[in-house]
Amino acid sequence: MNREYHKWFSQNLKRDMELLVFGHAGRAVIFFPTRMARFYDYENWGIIASLNTQIENGELQIFCVDSIDGESFYNDEVFPSVRIDRHLQYEKYILEEVLSLIYQKNDGNYVATAGCSMGAYHAINLAMKYPWLFKKAVGISGRYDLTDNIGDFRDLLNGFHDDKVYFNMPAQYIANLNDDKLLSAVREMEIILAVGETDPFLSGNQHLSSLLWEKGIPNQFHTWESNAHRPHYWRKMAPMYI
């Protein structure tokens, strides 16, 4: 399997960023890490190995990006408005820098987003906001409104709310999408949501799927046994959905 390590100083984030590329051709996938995780964790957890056949056959090229969630949503040392601004800088890093690398490395015209847990939030949110850039979005065990208090999972913005927060919470803004051009682009994407039947995010996933259907946006919704919020399950899900 072709494996490449890349590191450069991000002008958007003003810090070094790292990522791993697996594969030589095929559908390019931006694979976002889980909560506070790193770009190498999917490899360490055997999730990349679970995709080996597709990668070796030139069907998939996986770009495992790094996370800065500890500087944005999980940074309790700064005001929530600073957290969302840092997230938006990360978004620009993905759109301007990571996509640029993908276009250099992959001569296809198919780019997808995917992620597990917090990575699912990033994958779905980015694809919903910029659907003309992506063909597919996969959210596994995801949480799509970070301002909700769900069991042990707290509101990551401590009650703060403004337009930047609103337009980065899919479970909030999708209900009010009315731009025909944007809706048309979203409807052309393949959207897959998968979550465990006892996962605390189950109801949020059901709600998001319903919101999408209400807007005429087709999506696949899959429920797994148990909470399915572990690498053991993600190793099974990744080859099926990514």
Side-chain angles (χ1 to χ4, degrees):
M1 180 191 300
N2 179 64
R3 180 186 186 275
E4 300 176 13
Y5 168 78
H6 293 267
K7 178 180 179 180
W8 68 84
F9 182 82
S10 167
Q11 292 298 325
N12 285 296
L13 294 171
K14 306 303 180 187
R15 55 163 284 186
D16 287 336
M17 292 296 289
E18 301 168 276
L19 59 79
L20 286 169
V21 183
F22 298 93
H24 59 280
R27 303 187 304 277
V29 180
I30 303 174
F31 205 3
F32 291 95
T34 63
R35 179 179 56 162
M36 306 289 281
R38 299 299 309 278
F39 66 100
Y40 46 74
D41 284 322
Y42 286 134
E43 180 181 33
N44 290 347
W45 295 337
I47 295 170
I48 296 300
S50 76
L51 297 165
N52 181 72
T53 299
Q54 292 143 294
I55 293 173
E56 290 281 35
N57 288 344
E59 299 171 25
L60 287 178
Q61 189 173 36
I62 307 293
F63 293 77
C64 289
V65 295
D66 214 350
S67 162
I68 66 155
D69 292 333
E71 300 173 18
S72 58
F73 293 116
Y74 287 92
N75 187 1
D76 290 331
E77 296 182 0
V78 299
F79 195 72
S81 62
V82 179
R83 296 176 213 168
I84 195 69
D85 283 343
R86 188 60 171 163
H87 164 71
L88 291 172
Q89 291 169 355
Y90 178 69
E91 182 179 273
K92 288 189 68 177
Y93 157 73
I94 297 294
L95 293 173
E96 296 177 3
E97 301 179 44
V98 174
L99 274 179
S100 178
L101 176 68
I102 290 174
Y103 297 149
Q104 292 172 33
K105 305 292 299 181
N106 189 295
D107 59 5
N109 64 350
Y110 191 109
V111 183
T113 63
C116 302
S117 191
M118 187 68 172
Y121 159 78
H122 288 294
I124 296 297
N125 185 49
L126 189 72
M128 293 298 106
K129 292 174 66 177
Y130 304 96
W132 53 89
L133 296 175
F134 306 106
K135 302 289 189 183
K136 182 177 181 179
V138 180
I140 298 173
S141 306
R143 177 186 182 189
Y144 304 110
D145 187 344
L146 306 182
T147 69
D148 276 346
N149 286 290
I150 307 171
D152 295 332
F153 296 89
R154 60 182 175 81
D155 173 0
L156 297 182
L157 293 163
N158 303 106
F160 177 81
H161 203 272
D162 66 2
D163 283 349
K164 291 178 182 177
V165 173
Y166 173 79
F167 284 110
N168 282 282
M169 301 300 145
Q172 295 184 28
Y173 65 75
I174 286 174
N176 297 309
L177 285 182
N178 53 23
D179 183 305
D180 290 339
K181 185 176 180 181
L182 182 64
L183 280 169
S184 177
V186 174
R187 288 169 183 148
E188 291 177 4
M189 276 197 306
E190 182 180 4
I191 301 169
I192 299 176
L193 303 175
V195 67
E197 62 185 2
T198 62
D199 191 305
F201 303 149
L202 172 63
S203 62
N205 277 255
Q206 293 170 326
H207 178 60
L208 180 63
S209 178
S210 295
L211 288 177
L212 291 169
W213 281 114
E214 287 170 10
K215 287 295 179 178
I217 301 169
N219 65 95
Q220 300 176 40
F221 181 76
H222 303 278
T223 304
W224 282 61
E225 65 177 359
S226 184
N227 72 351
H229 205 115
R230 296 288 186 275
H232 166 71
Y233 288 95
W234 299 335
R235 285 193 292 270
K236 298 177 183 177
M237 294 179 178
M240 296 176 65
Y241 304 136
I242 294 178

